[in-house]
Amino acid sequence: MTSPSPDYYAVLQIPHGASQQEVARAYRALMRRHHPDLASGEAVPAELQLVMQAFAVLRDPKRRAAYDREISSAAAAEESAGKPQNLPVHVTRHREPPLRVTPVRWESGPWT
């Protein structure tokens, strides 16, 4: 399984139901805050990269829908991980008794 992706909604500080316009506004505000030319020496390249990655996923409706499905399936998997699972079991009953196993009696031969 792949490593879990970060919560892009939390990265952009927007709700999960945010519109495309809200996504773009949050992206531009965070880019101004984290951009190395505009920030006063406080820019962290890793945070800037994460903001750009989040925007790349959430601005495209198809990629956003796939991401939302991934997040919901991961949440469902985490939810069911703590619960015991009921697995169907097929019980087979044999009518004849089981075989008896007896020790082997070695015959005498030329090796003795």
Side-chain angles (χ1 to χ4, degrees):
M1 189 167 174
T2 62
S3 64
S5 59
D7 185 6
Y8 292 141
Y9 292 102
V11 169
L12 292 181
Q13 302 168 0
I14 56 174
H16 285 268
S19 67
Q20 292 293 334
Q21 187 177 17
E22 292 172 322
V23 171
R25 283 181 184 164
Y27 170 73
R28 286 192 296 273
L30 288 170
M31 286 301 287
R32 279 192 297 271
R33 186 182 312 157
H34 293 292
H35 196 279
D37 292 340
L38 300 177
S40 60
E42 302 170 5
V44 178
E47 289 180 14
L48 186 65
Q49 190 69 24
L50 192 58
V51 168
M52 291 189 305
Q53 185 179 8
F55 180 66
V57 170
L58 296 181
R59 73 176 173 165
D60 183 19
K62 290 180 183 178
R63 289 178 70 183
R64 183 175 181 175
Y67 174 73
D68 289 340
R69 281 192 303 272
E70 178 186 331
I71 292 296
S72 64
S73 67
E78 285 179 12
E79 210 175 272
S80 67
K83 298 178 184 176
Q85 294 181 354
N86 292 329
L87 299 176
V89 177
H90 179 71
V91 178
T92 305
R93 307 235 185 248
H94 296 284
R95 295 177 191 230
E96 65 272 351
L99 297 174
R100 287 185 59 195
V101 178
T102 58
V104 177
R105 294 186 184 183
W106 294 99
E107 299 179 12
S108 60
W111 52 85
T112 57

